[in-house]
Amino acid sequence: MEQQEEQGEAGGRAGRRSGALRIVGLTLAGALVLGAAAVGWAYWHLDHNIKSVDIDTALGDDRPAPARSTPSTTASAAASPLPTGSLNILVLGSDSRSGKANKELGGGDSTGVRSDTEMVVHIDAGRTKATVVSIPRDTLLTRPSCPLSSGGSTAVAHNVMVNTAYELGGPVCAVKTVESLTHVRMDHYIEIDFSGFAGLVDALGGVDVTTTQTIDDDKSHLHLKAGPHHLDGKQALALARTRHGIGDGSDLGRIGLQQQLVKALLEQMSGTKLLADPARLYRVADTVTAGLTTDTGLDSLSELMRLGQSLKGLTSDQVKTVMMPNVQAPSDHNRVIAKEPAASELWASLR
């Protein structure tokens, strides 16, 4: 009898353990399913944040030839190693007022969006060095005929500012105009709006810069004494846009501040261990992709990650920032034109 009771108790304990193990197993399985679903949703969400424009199809073959070392953008990430070829990327900052956040940050009229900042980023073969060339938005040039998404094309225009290309024909015309100016093929296009830039700075915890002069600009609402500063996103955006509180009030003085911000952000990103903090990494990615427009070669999270991974050896001290050589325009002392032959020599070095 006692033996039967002991066997009964042992069976009960075994049953309870088995039941408990089943519960734990089901709980873990449920957690894994929910975790996978959350990761899947996060990936889908970030992937669908990105807006894109099919620039290659729109421009066709009427553009400079790609560099021989430029890798194919159609190669599978799983089937090939990370690319190491040189790249030229047109990076634009737009003053769009589309959306509440952009409007609050001082974006322009949504019916007349302009490219507030234009930079050609050249990444050397090997991807351990880069050159960032700023094109003054006050640059006068001949804007080529550009195809329009609604059909037809724009007319060729002489002696107009470079940033009118985006205003008139969007990213496609911006790329074609820069390619016409530089005779350099833009392998990719990246555009970030006001809220995307400010959000990136905030998600990184701010950015450290040192100003060499006091800035008092009521138009950008920026007032900084000369010296070191830790800026939040709104302040960093104001610094990138200010022009009336420095130098002669032209776009040339502002470019120096923008280039300083680029280097400071690169240093901030390299010093921030994002991969060790998934929650923070997601916040950064969500903020950036929400304000991002790319060409179709970079319009997915996997393609952007692949580009980022190929640049892991690129440090801020290996990034050179320069301005397109320019001189005062004869027709308008408030505008500039490319200085030759220096400008052509610079562009030739990026091919």
Side-chain angles (χ1 to χ4, degrees):
M1 187 68 155
E2 290 179 359
Q3 184 178 2
Q4 290 178 345
E5 288 178 355
E6 289 176 357
Q7 290 174 344
E9 289 176 2
R13 285 194 297 272
R16 286 194 294 273
R17 283 197 299 271
S18 176
L21 288 172
R22 282 198 299 270
I23 292 172
V24 170
L26 289 172
T27 301
L28 288 174
L32 288 172
V33 169
L34 290 174
V39 170
W41 177 88
Y43 189 95
W44 180 91
H45 174 71
L46 294 175
D47 212 40
H48 283 71
N49 267 349
I50 306 166
K51 301 175 286 294
S52 67
V53 178
D54 190 353
I55 291 171
D56 287 342
T57 298
L59 294 183
D61 296 327
D62 185 20
R63 57 194 307 204
R68 290 182 181 179
S69 59
T70 301
S72 170
T73 57
T74 59
S76 168
S80 62
L82 290 174
T84 59
S86 63
L87 281 177
N88 288 300
I89 305 173
L90 178 60
V91 178
L92 295 188
S94 73
D95 69 351
S96 170
R97 189 173 283 179
S98 175
K100 182 180 178 181
N102 280 325
K103 188 174 182 179
E104 290 177 348
L105 288 168
D109 185 342
S110 60
T111 61
V113 183
R114 296 167 296 274
S115 52
D116 209 48
T117 302
E118 300 199 17
M119 296 179 176
V120 174
V121 178
H122 172 78
I123 302 167
D124 289 2
R127 312 230 172 158
T128 58
K129 294 183 179 180
T131 303
V132 179
V133 185
S134 295
I135 302 174
R137 73 173 190 175
D138 292 339
T139 301
L140 295 180
L141 46 60
T142 296
R143 189 182 63 226
S145 174
C146 300
L148 295 172
S149 58
S150 57
S153 59
T154 66
V156 174
H158 302 282
N159 212 37
V160 296
M161 286 173 59
V162 63
N163 68 342
T164 63
Y166 182 96
E167 185 177 8
L168 186 67
V172 170
C173 197
V175 169
K176 184 160 188 179
T177 299
V178 170
E179 288 185 344
S180 176
L181 170 69
T182 64
H183 302 291
V184 175
R185 171 80 166 236
M186 296 297 114
D187 301 298
H188 291 299
Y189 168 85
I190 295 176
E191 174 192 330
I192 189 165
D193 61 22
F194 283 176
S195 62
F197 177 81
L200 169 63
V201 174
D202 284 335
L204 289 171
V207 63
D208 295 316
V209 298
T210 298
T211 58
T212 58
Q213 59 181 298
T214 297
I215 299 174
D216 284 307
D217 187 354
D218 290 331
K219 290 192 175 182
S220 65
H221 308 292
L222 184 67
H223 302 279
L224 296 175
K225 292 183 178 180
H229 301 278
H230 184 77
L231 306 180
D232 62 18
K234 188 173 182 179
Q235 291 171 317
L237 177 63
L239 184 66
R241 299 191 68 207
T242 190
R243 61 188 294 180
H244 299 285
I246 54 172
D248 60 0
S250 72
D251 191 46
L252 305 184
R254 175 171 62 177
I255 283 176
L257 294 175
Q258 291 174 347
Q259 292 176 337
Q260 185 182 358
L261 269 173
V262 168
K263 297 292 288 284
L265 280 172
L266 287 173
E267 290 173 2
Q268 181 74 358
M269 284 187 278
S270 63
T272 303
K273 297 180 179 179
L274 292 176
L275 294 178
D277 188 346
R280 191 175 189 184
L281 177 61
Y282 176 80
R283 288 196 300 271
V284 172
D286 189 31
T287 299
V288 173
T289 56
L292 202 65
T293 300
T294 73
D295 65 284
T296 48
L298 287 179
D299 64 352
S300 73
L301 193 59
S302 60
E303 288 160 339
L304 286 172
M305 288 174 62
R306 184 166 164 78
L307 173 62
Q309 289 168 347
S310 76
L311 301 176
K312 62 183 179 181
L314 180 64
T315 57
S316 60
D317 60 339
Q318 293 300 313
V319 177
K320 180 181 179 181
T321 57
V322 298
M323 188 191 309
M324 182 193 76
N326 62 85
V327 294
Q328 190 179 74
S331 60
D332 187 341
H333 292 176
N334 293 317
R335 303 288 180 257
V336 299
I337 58 173
K339 180 181 179 180
E340 298 296 355
S344 292
E345 291 171 354
L346 171 62
W347 299 128
S349 71
L350 307 186
R351 294 187 194 123

